[in-house]
Amino acid sequence: MQIELDRFPISVQNARRLGFRTALNVPLMRESVAIGAISLRRAEAHPFSERQVALLETFADQAVIAIENVRLFKELEARNRDLTEALDQQTATSEILRVISSSPTDLGPVMDAVAENAARLCDASDAQILRADGEAITLVASYGSFADDQQGAEGPSVGDLSGAER
């Protein structure tokens, strides 16, 4: 018993300060690596029985299973989010290509589809597409509340490349 007291002097000091006389620590092991521990303490000096040690080892194994299940579930959720996002992006690209093929000479519907899909896929409330035309900057597509606000605005030109607003 004295050997244990000599090997862990800080733990012994903490136990005395907190009033513990008996402790049982069981590591949480995953693939031969300790990822945590379960600790029991008693105020009286009374060793834990072999049955109690075995029970705590079982609880440690169950805790590792629970930790691993949560990790795997979170990993699966992340993969599902990534796949959903990739599918959304493919769907948006397909929609834009469909609009391009159905409106080969009309830029408006294509730019509207690009603005809408950009806002939706990037979780934005608004999207605008501006086009530089000589010295002027022209709003060619808008989606969201900004688009609604611009309905009564005066013309599509929003500024010029010199920095002056119109």
Side-chain angles (χ1 to χ4, degrees), residues 131-147:
R131 184 171 176 202
D133 188 14
E135 288 294 313
I137 299 172
T138 305
L139 179 67
V140 294
S142 185
Y143 174 81
S145 60
F146 180 80

Side-chain angles (χ1 to χ4, degrees), residues 121-141:
L121 289 174
C122 296
D123 293 323
S125 59
D126 298 287
Q128 293 79 41
I129 298 176
L130 304 170
R131 184 171 176 202
D133 188 14
E135 288 294 313
I137 299 172
T138 305
L139 179 67
V140 294

Side-chain angles (χ1 to χ4, degrees), residues 82-154:
D82 291 345
L83 287 173
T84 299
E85 185 176 312
L87 180 60
D88 287 347
Q89 290 171 358
Q90 270 188 326
T91 301
T93 300
S94 174
E95 182 181 325
I96 292 167
L97 291 173
R98 182 187 55 73
V99 172
I100 289 171
S101 67
S102 67
S103 305
T105 60
D106 188 2
L107 190 58
V110 175
M111 293 298 148
D112 288 342
V114 170
E116 179 180 348
N117 282 291
R120 184 174 53 81
L121 289 174
C122 296
D123 293 323
S125 59
D126 298 287
Q128 293 79 41
I129 298 176
L130 304 170
R131 184 171 176 202
D133 188 14
E135 288 294 313
I137 299 172
T138 305
L139 179 67
V140 294
S142 185
Y143 174 81
S145 60
F146 180 80
D148 297 338
D149 292 344
Q150 294 301 309
Q151 291 296 336
E154 185 180 310

Side-chain angles (χ1 to χ4, degrees), residues 12-69:
V12 170
Q13 289 172 5
N14 287 335
R16 286 184 180 144
R17 183 174 50 83
L18 297 171
F20 298 120
R21 301 285 310 274
T22 305
L24 173 61
N25 298 294
V26 175
L28 304 179
M29 302 293 290
R30 185 180 74 221
E31 297 177 5
S32 302
V33 175
I35 61 167
I38 296 180
S39 299
L40 299 180
R41 290 165 180 71
R42 290 183 178 156
E44 65 274 356
H46 177 62
F48 291 94
S49 70
E50 286 184 31
R51 196 176 110 249
Q52 291 169 328
V53 171
L55 182 60
L56 195 60
E57 288 171 343
T58 299
F59 288 156
D61 291 341
Q62 291 172 340
V64 170
I65 290 168
I67 290 167
E68 187 66 9
N69 282 345

